[in-house]
């Protein structure tokens, strides 16, 4: 079930990079020649989503083995679209993913019902973050009647 949820929500979020973005108050300026005009709230939430994916990845690996890279592949897609170049945002996202992965891996040493349940909670949290990002950043004209 949570696979389907994330398969729907994350592509919507990732699709945001294809839309024109208006400059926001308190905008983030990337280093180098690429300026990032996404809002601080958006950047915070993208980092939170990366952290959530890191936690879910740790549980998935614990339960299914190191060859299961399901959540890591979502993270790679998120990075390639939201932070394709080296800079503060990419570093923050990677650090959040790795820190959450390490914390969750240290918290549990076996795959049990609580680990499986926790992965579902992370999937739900990721879906909620992705949906919030879409709603906050998708131009109103593109939202349709889903408001």
């Amino acid at each position: 079930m949570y696979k389907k949820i994330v398969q729907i929500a994350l592509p919507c979020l990732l699709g945001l990079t294809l839309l024109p973005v208006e400059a926001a108050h308190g905008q983030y300026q990337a280093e180098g020649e690429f300026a990032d005009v996404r809002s601080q709230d958006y950047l915070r939430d993208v980092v939170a989503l990366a952290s959530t994916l890191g936690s879910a990845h740790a549980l998935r690996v614990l339960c299914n083995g190191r060859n299961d890279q399901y959540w890591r592949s979502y993270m790679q897609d998120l990075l390639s679209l939201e932070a394709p170049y080296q800079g503060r945002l990419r570093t923050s996202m990677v650090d959040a993913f790795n820190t959450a992965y390490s914390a969750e891996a240290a918290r549990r040493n076996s795959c049990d019902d609580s680990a499986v349940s926790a992965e579902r909670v992370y999937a739900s949290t990721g879906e909620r973050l992705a949906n919030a990002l879409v709603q906050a950043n998708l131009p109103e004209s593109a939202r349709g009647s889903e408001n």
Side-chain angles (χ1 to χ4, degrees), residues 57-124:
H57 180 58
L59 294 170
R60 187 89 171 194
V61 167
L62 177 66
C63 291
N64 298 341
R66 293 226 174 261
N67 290 333
D68 191 330
Q69 298 293 299
Y70 181 79
W71 294 115
R72 186 173 180 270
S73 68
Y74 272 100
M75 178 62 180
Q76 289 173 323
D77 290 343
L78 185 63
L79 282 171
S80 70
L81 293 169
E82 297 301 324
Y85 306 103
Q86 293 300 324
R88 288 182 288 190
L89 177 57
R90 186 177 185 91
T91 298
S92 294
M93 291 172 69
V94 169
D95 288 349
F97 180 90
N98 290 336
T99 298
Y101 177 91
S102 296
E104 193 61 46
R107 192 176 357 263
R108 300 174 194 272
N109 58 8
S110 65
C111 180
D112 55 15
D113 289 342
S114 69
V116 172
S117 177
E119 184 185 357
R120 286 188 186 121
V121 169
Y122 287 126
S124 176

Side-chain angles (χ1 to χ4, degrees), residues 16-60:
L16 288 175
T17 59
L18 302 175
L19 298 170
V21 180
E22 297 177 17
H25 176 69
Q27 66 187 350
Y28 173 86
Q29 290 296 325
E31 298 149 313
E33 90 182 65
F34 301 101
D36 193 336
V37 293
R38 294 171 284 193
S39 73
Q40 290 294 324
D41 290 341
Y42 180 80
L43 298 170
R44 180 201 61 226
D45 291 346
V46 166
V47 171
L49 180 56
S51 177
T52 301
L53 290 171
S55 296
H57 180 58
L59 294 170
R60 187 89 171 194

